[in-house]
Amino acid sequence: MGDTNGSPRRIKSDITLLRILQSLQQSGGQTITELADELSLAKSTVHAHVHTLAEEGYLIEGENGFELGLRMLDLGGTVQDRYLPELIRQKVDELAIETEERAQFVVEQDGVGVHLYCSYGKNAVQTNVWVGRHFPLHISAAGKAILAYLPEERRESVLQGEHVAFTEHTITDTEAIRAELEEIRANEYAINQQESTRGLRAVGVPIMNRDDEILGAISISGPTHRIKGTVLHEEIPDLILGVANEIELRLAFQ
């Protein structure tokens, strides 16, 4: 029977499997007992899911228990390739080399940001960023650059949600975010002032497709003692805006 309220039926076993995968992603490896305790599941249930995934190559058994296997990379790589033009990958790498900081390309899906590609210069700092990481758009330079250029209806839908504070610098007031988005559209770039991570600043610039729709955003991130003053407000914005302009022109005439 279908769901009487018109919503698709959620498959409980699928949800359990996804919870197991997410737990293993975050932990780096767990035993069946550890998974069962953390997720409040029966060991027999966890055992069945884990061994099925292992037999199919999606999990391997290591020193710390079960871990995500390389077959997961096959799935993830396919998704990344679909959303990441080679030109953007090249330009992000060039930005990382030139600035010696971390450069990244971010896209939006279902109202949240997703790190699709990261490249590290020789002085780049490691933070809680990885390919595939989902995060609220309002906390990052790239996320805000995307949010500023989303169609109004989609932008307002995101703005109606909860704005979580990741640090004491995160802007959480909806009207304050709206005002900043107007400023971003005027300047054509966004700034992250330690809003996602203490001690980290970033500059983000939107990338538009040939139909003038938001494709994603490129950003440069670095420690506050290096990303400040004219570097923050002039040098990096000018650099990324130039790269974004080149990307847009080349994608439009491919």
Side-chain angles (χ1 to χ4, degrees), residues 224-236:
T224 54
H225 74 273
R226 289 201 297 261
I227 310 297
K228 61 182 179 180
T230 57
V231 174
L232 176 66
H233 294 285
E234 296 179 23
E235 294 178 19
I236 292 180

Side-chain angles (χ1 to χ4, degrees), residues 108 111-113 135-148 150 158-159 161-167 169-174 176-178 180-181 184 190-196:
E108 174 269 337
V112 298
F135 62 93
L137 293 171
H138 71 281
I139 70 167
S140 81
K144 289 189 286 186
I146 292 172
L147 186 56
L150 283 177
V158 175
L159 289 175
E162 181 183 5
H163 309 307
V164 178
F166 277 53
T167 75
H169 303 286
T170 309
I171 301 172
T172 58
D173 178 76
T174 300
I177 295 174
R178 281 199 181 95
E180 185 176 18
L181 296 180
I184 291 168
I191 290 178
N192 170 4
Q193 294 273 19
Q194 305 185 69
E195 296 158 61
S196 57

Side-chain angles (χ1 to χ4, degrees), residues 21-32:
L21 291 175
Q22 289 163 356
S23 182
L24 290 174
Q25 178 193 25
Q26 293 167 6
S27 67
Q30 290 171 289
T31 65
I32 288 175

Side-chain angles (χ1 to χ4, degrees), residues 15-58:
I15 295 171
T16 299
L17 183 145
L18 290 171
R19 290 179 65 203
I20 289 170
L21 291 175
Q22 289 163 356
S23 182
L24 290 174
Q25 178 193 25
Q26 293 167 6
S27 67
Q30 290 171 289
T31 65
I32 288 175
T33 298
E34 289 169 340
L35 281 166
D37 290 344
E38 180 175 330
L39 301 176
S40 299
L41 295 170
K43 287 178 64 175
S44 59
T45 298
V46 174
H47 185 277
H49 281 293
V50 165
H51 280 278
T52 298
L53 288 166
E55 288 174 5
E56 296 297 323
Y58 292 101

